[in-house]
Each structure stands twice: as structure tokens, then as C-alpha cells.
Amino acid sequence: MQQCRQALALDPDDVLALCNLGSLLARQDDPKAALECLDKVVDHAPDWAEAHYTRGTVLLRQERYQEAIRACDRALECRATYPEAHFNRGNAHALRGLEADGSLNYYELDCAINAYKTAIQQRPGYTAALYNLGMVYQRMGSAEGVRVWDQYIEAAQDLPDEEIWRLRAQEYTRDLQDRLR
């Protein structure tokens, strides 16, 4: 962080230093300062996909879902093949799809499904997108969830960091199969 601040002392409009500082501030849980940096970046470099994506990530963490969707959309306008932006867009829609009263907003969930599918298409085996897609189908009680859980389990098979999630996916698969009987 110190190096970013030193670079900005020499050139306050250094978009790379601003973007890096914004990312670091977001990781340190200072979303306001992170967004200030990232807003400057997108003002100076409006076609920089990573800056829009990072803004979207910060906004998503703040539960500012519509703004996060717009930031991810802007990132995708700059770079269409960007599975992480599709993934975050899916996350924002999925979270908007869970109403406060426990009901489901199927329009938002459909948007989430499409975003996750695009992320997986652009990055086959994308375990996080497969898992979240499985969760959406699980919530909806859709038979498609069984297929997605199987895909996730296969993609995560040799990934030790995914072991707990893989076990949960196996439980979700059994649960969903039972619900569909």
C-alpha cells in the first residue's frame, strides 16, 4: 500500500497505482476509500475492465447489488470474455433473487443462472460458478440442479481446497433428489 501511495504522490492520476490501492483498501475492508480510488480510475480510464470489475466486487460486498450489476456490465462492455465479471454479476442477481420474506424473485434468479452459465462457458470447470449455479437451482427446487451438482463434484474432484464444498454438494444432490421424488 505504501508503494501505491508513493506512486500517487508523484502522479495523483496514476491509474494503475489508484486501482491497486483501491484493491488493497477493499481487502482491508475499507470500501469507502476503495470506491473513491476506483471511481477515479474509471473516470480517467473508462475502458479499463478490471477497474469496473473491482468496483463491482466492492459494491457487491456492500450489498449494493444493482450498482454492482451495473459495474460488472460496464466491465463486460470493455471485455466480453471476462468470466469473473459474469460470476459477480450472477452473485448480485442471485442475492437480489432472495426476497426478505423468503420468497424467490425468479426474474433475478434467471439472470443469475444466465450469468453463471456464461462464466462457466467462458471458463469450463469454474468451480465457484458451478457451485453457485447449483445453489440457485437448489433454492428453486429444479431438477437441473442435480446435473450441475454432478458437474461441480467432477470439476472439484482433485482440488483439496474444495473438499468441504464437494461434500456439501453431495448432500445437496441427495436432498434435491429426495425433494424431486
Side-chain angles (χ1 to χ4, degrees):
M1 189 168 324
Q2 183 180 356
Q3 291 173 331
C4 292
R5 293 190 192 281
Q6 288 172 344
L8 290 169
L10 296 172
D11 178 4
D13 295 328
D14 182 338
V15 291
L16 182 57
L18 279 167
C19 193
N20 287 338
L21 181 59
S23 295
L24 291 168
L25 289 166
R27 285 189 196 118
Q28 291 188 346
D29 203 27
D30 190 350
K32 184 177 181 214
L35 285 173
E36 287 174 11
C37 289
L38 295 165
D39 287 344
K40 289 178 187 175
V41 173
V42 297
D43 285 345
H44 287 85
D47 294 329
W48 193 2
E50 289 76 11
H52 292 286
Y53 165 75
T54 304
R55 274 189 84 250
T57 300
V58 173
L59 292 164
L60 182 61
R61 288 185 194 143
Q62 289 188 302
E63 299 179 9
R64 294 165 60 181
Y65 303 130
Q66 189 58 44
E67 292 172 83
I69 291 167
R70 281 195 299 271
C72 289
D73 285 345
R74 185 66 184 105
L76 292 165
E77 288 172 16
C78 299
R79 188 170 94 198
T81 303
Y82 201 162
E84 296 81 6
H86 286 288
F87 174 72
N88 271 357
R89 189 175 190 283
N91 290 340
H93 279 294
L95 290 164
R96 283 175 53 103
L98 305 174
E99 302 288 349
D101 65 1
S103 65
L104 302 176
N105 178 327
Y106 286 94
Y107 171 78
E108 292 292 342
L109 295 179
D110 189 50
C111 290
I113 288 168
N114 289 330
Y116 292 139
K117 285 182 173 182
T118 303
I120 295 161
Q121 181 182 29
Q122 290 182 357
R123 189 169 127 195
Y126 192 171
T127 56
L130 283 164
Y131 190 90
N132 287 8
L133 179 59
M135 289 302 296
V136 170
Y137 282 132
Q138 186 81 18
R139 285 281 188 146
M140 294 171 69
S142 170
E144 186 67 15
V146 174
R147 186 187 64 76
V148 172
W149 285 129
D150 287 343
Q151 284 181 320
Y152 168 78
I153 292 165
E154 182 179 331
Q157 192 62 43
D158 297 324
L159 303 173
D161 291 344
E162 296 283 324
E163 183 174 355
I164 289 174
W165 303 106
R166 195 172 48 252
L167 293 172
R168 286 183 183 169
Q170 290 168 344
E171 289 175 29
Y172 291 142
T173 302
R174 287 190 294 273
D175 176 63
L176 187 55
Q177 288 169 330
D178 289 345
R179 286 173 43 202
L180 294 169
R181 287 187 190 146

